[in-house]
Amino acid sequence: MLLVSIAAFLAGAMASPVHKDSERPLQIDPSEHAPPPPPPAPELIEISRLPLPPVVADENEGACTVAVNPSRTGCTGKVASLQGGTFLPDDNHVIAKVRFAGAPAAPDPASIYTGEHVIIVKTDNSTFPNGDPWKCLTCGIPKENNHAIPVESPDYAYPQAFADGKRVMAGFYIIDCGEYDLVSPDCVPERTSIYQIRLENTTDGSGAGAAIRELRIHPDQVHLGLNSFTFSGNSLGQSTFFARLQFNAAPTTGLPLGPRYDLAHVNHLMHSGLSPPIYAVGDELHFNHSAITVGELRGFSGTGNEVTYVGYPVESCNIDVFAADLRTGALRRLTAHPGYVDPVQMSPDDRLMVIMDTRGSGRTEFMDGMRGIPPIVDLLTTTVCSSVRNNGQRRFFQPWLLDRYGDRGDYYGQEINGASTGFAGSGGFDDPEWNGGADPWFSNDGTRIVYYQVQTIPPACGGENPLPCSNSSEPGGRRERLMIAHLVERSPLPARNVMPMPDVIPWAVPYVPGETVPAPAYLNLKSGNYTLKGEVSGSASIEIIENDSKTAIQMIKVGFDNFSDDGLATLSGTQNITRNVEGFTINTLDWYSNLTREGIWPSRQFTSPAGFHMSIYVLTNLFEANGTLVTIAEGLTFRQPQDGT
Ligand SMILES: *[C@@H]1O[C@H](CO)[C@@H](O)[C@H](O)[C@H]1NC(C)=O
Ligand SMILES: *[C@@H]1O[C@H](CO)[C@@H](O)[C@H](O)[C@H]1NC(C)=O
Ligand SMILES: *[C@@H]1O[C@H](CO)[C@@H](O)[C@H](O)[C@H]1NC(C)=O
Ligand SMILES: *[C@@H]1O[C@H](CO)[C@@H](O)[C@H](O)[C@H]1NC(C)=O
Ligand SMILES: *[C@@H]1O[C@H](CO)[C@@H](O)[C@H](O)[C@H]1NC(C)=O
Ligand SMILES: *[C@@H]1O[C@H](CO)[C@@H](O)[C@H](O)[C@H]1NC(C)=O
Ligand SMILES: *[C@@H]1O[C@H](CO)[C@@H](O)[C@H](O)[C@H]1NC(C)=O
Ligand SMILES: *[C@@H]1O[C@H](CO)[C@@H](O)[C@H](O)[C@H]1NC(C)=O
Ligand SMILES: *[C@@H]1O[C@H](CO)[C@@H](O)[C@H](O)[C@H]1NC(C)=O
Ligand SMILES: *[C@@H]1O[C@H](CO)[C@@H](O)[C@H](O)[C@H]1NC(C)=O
């Protein structure tokens, strides 16, 4: 308890130095070069929790009795893989996914409430005709209505409603109630169909298509954005796409060989053919701050004009989100504060954004609390810097509200629930042990935000972990909760009128099924000595060494000499980092650093004399290190987390 309180205190106290924006202009789009308006004053936000199915303590067959749920419409365990989704068009409902548990055996009619499903939840304290404030959309759909490739347990991740109120996308499925509104009593399982979304990945159209993930509906309702992991050599990469959703009633090749949605006019948003963020001209290295690097697609702006993504850092180890205009490629850096951000959603009019970020938790500043380090070693460190955001299942995310212009001056947004100053273990809406998940979503009228939280559970607390585990004070001891934040001072926005996007994104590269895309050029910088000139003063001398098979960078050494891009501060000192990759998912870094920043926001970053050696297993994100890496920024000392915490 004590440790957590200190962390929370530190997090509150550190607001001044590292929360300031970088010396780089935040707005990279030249059309937005006018100085941004002054930051908004904090606004009044009211938070409440949304209802969910009742909880059974034991998840055995039949545990969900009539005593627990008198309407016989299912129960969940305390942990139910909850994920909040979007609002339906009327803004009085949101969709979510949960895993039902404790159902009786068939042929009991309640036996359909088992496993992962999409539900609709009332947001106005009203109920469906049976008295429940929720309704399961996918429970009990007859087999003949399910046109997807059969799987034991479908994944209904990131549920999103279409604007027609009759269809939902969840995972890579579309759940369709035909002519009926999803919320209407007429939308029953017998009238509901499930179709699979397929991205062709063979030249002859055979097979089940590419493994696709994190699909997002474009506001024009006819295009999608999505990600797909790639495995090449020893490295895990990701392809990102924008495509048109096209119903195919009677396909002649590929699986499923029945009605399905195909992805047509597919654009590659990240491709070796696009301009790289770092490139060499002779022995000089250059950054291109207009380069679009869609490392992971996050969604679209509310107007649909921009695609949002997690991209190559602008400041070393500081993971940010960006927005690129789909038509023009104009780029905006949406966030700048140290920390890891990934979920981002804009309001329907693009004037606000809500992000899930580690800012305020003090989690990552030992790596990224020194501002303005050019992201050179990030060619090696990005995976590791990103992975520090979590401790296993514990995320350090909280929802933050920012205006369109993002972090600037002393403004770094408004924490929606005040968790960075909340009391750990209190169970309140500001309890920092309750962490946010992906994604938060705005209502269609822009006055509400729905988000969900997960309580820290073993092994991320308790046992050898210095963080004690707290009991949950949520109904039934639930470890997850679905929250709604009401921006009470805002007036409802008028309905959106989104023009359909063109199928061809001019700056992207057309996708060809079956192709192999080479790694982006910047990842293949060759062994050699390079110079990076500061835009105002000094330079950095850089040595890059590839591994023995010359297929990946293994070591980067940087020496900064009075380096400055803005004349407000200078960097001096050295970085020397070696990476070893084992399999796809284990990254180890041998990290030596001794950097000093003088001028505004003075700081130091240094490793212990024998270096800092860190390993992270990307699939579990468990932190393990020997030695230390410390950042001291304006008198505050930021240290790495203890191993396994
Ligand atoms: C629903 O009820 C809760 C608890 O009484 C209240 O805080 C919340 O404002 C109500 N929501 C609406 C939309 O009326
Ligand atoms: C297509 O994607 C599937 C995964 O769904 C994969 O197993 C297969 O190897 C891919 N085929 C090609 C040609 O890339
Ligand atoms: C070089 O790195 C690549 C990518 O990580 C890996 O596939 C290859 O095995 C490495 N070669 C050597 C000799 O380490
Ligand atoms: C920088 O990236 C932009 C956007 O992709 C591109 O138009 C421009 O040509 C690139 N500049 C250089 C010097 O590569
Ligand atoms: C949590 O609840 C259990 C069972 O009621 C109780 O034994 C335990 O002391 C509680 N733990 C805390 C930290 O309050
Ligand atoms: C970089 O320069 C140093 C000093 O001249 C030299 O010893 C080293 O081999 C060079 N490194 C590479 C990768 O060429
Ligand atoms: C270092 O750079 C600053 C500007 O960033 C300049 O004013 C100063 O003269 C430089 N110092 C040296 C020793 O070059
Ligand atoms: C990196 O730094 C460590 C510790 O100072 C040193 O042992 C190692 O030789 C350095 N590597 C290079 C390539 O300079
Ligand atoms: C770090 O750099 C400072 C300033 O250049 C130097 O005085 C100090 O000895 C260095 N520390 C280590 C451990 O190399
Ligand atoms: C830390 O040191 C121990 C003992 O030498 C070693 O087993 C472990 O692999 C090291 N871990 C890292 C991340 O370097």
Side-chain angles (χ1 to χ4, degrees), residues 438-608:
D439 280 358
W441 295 96
F442 274 92
S443 61
N444 298 290
D445 75 357
T447 66
R448 285 160 210 260
I449 294 163
V450 65
Y451 65 100
Y452 73 98
Q453 292 185 308
V454 179
Q455 192 184 24
T456 308
I457 54 169
C461 62
E464 291 181 2
N465 195 306
L467 178 72
C469 293
S470 304
N471 285 337
S472 167
S473 47
E474 294 299 304
R478 193 194 304 287
R479 302 287 197 172
E480 300 161 335
R481 59 191 183 190
L482 187 60
M483 311 299 294
I484 194 159
H486 188 186
L487 311 179
V488 290
E489 294 167 4
R490 292 185 180 268
S491 314
L493 299 172
R496 263 187 286 193
N497 180 21
V498 179
M499 299 303 286
M501 264 295 138
D503 288 332
V504 176
I505 303 304
W507 50 264
V509 178
Y511 165 75
V512 181
E515 72 187 339
T516 312
V517 182
Y522 64 97
L523 293 175
N524 300 330
L525 285 173
K526 297 293 161 209
S527 292
N529 285 295
Y530 300 90
T531 304
L532 171 72
K533 286 197 180 123
E535 282 165 33
V536 172
S537 73
S539 64
S541 53
I542 296 146
E543 182 175 17
I544 290 178
I545 298 179
E546 293 164 281
N547 72 3
D548 290 343
S549 56
K550 301 214 174 295
T551 49
I553 298 173
Q554 184 158 28
M555 194 221 70
I556 300 180
K557 202 174 160 184
V558 187
F560 292 102
D561 179 15
N562 203 42
F563 181 93
S564 181
D565 276 342
D566 61 7
L568 300 173
T570 58
L571 268 185
S572 296
T574 56
Q575 289 172 302
N576 157 358
I577 300 184
T578 303
R579 176 177 64 182
N580 291 298
V581 178
E582 294 166 38
F584 282 111
T585 45
I586 300 180
N587 261 267
T588 61
L589 293 182
D590 296 308
W591 184 322
Y592 301 87
S593 174
N594 184 12
L595 295 175
T596 304
R597 177 183 160 109
E598 290 175 316
I600 61 162
W601 318 326
S603 51
R604 286 182 60 210
Q605 185 195 78
F606 51 91
T607 48
S608 45

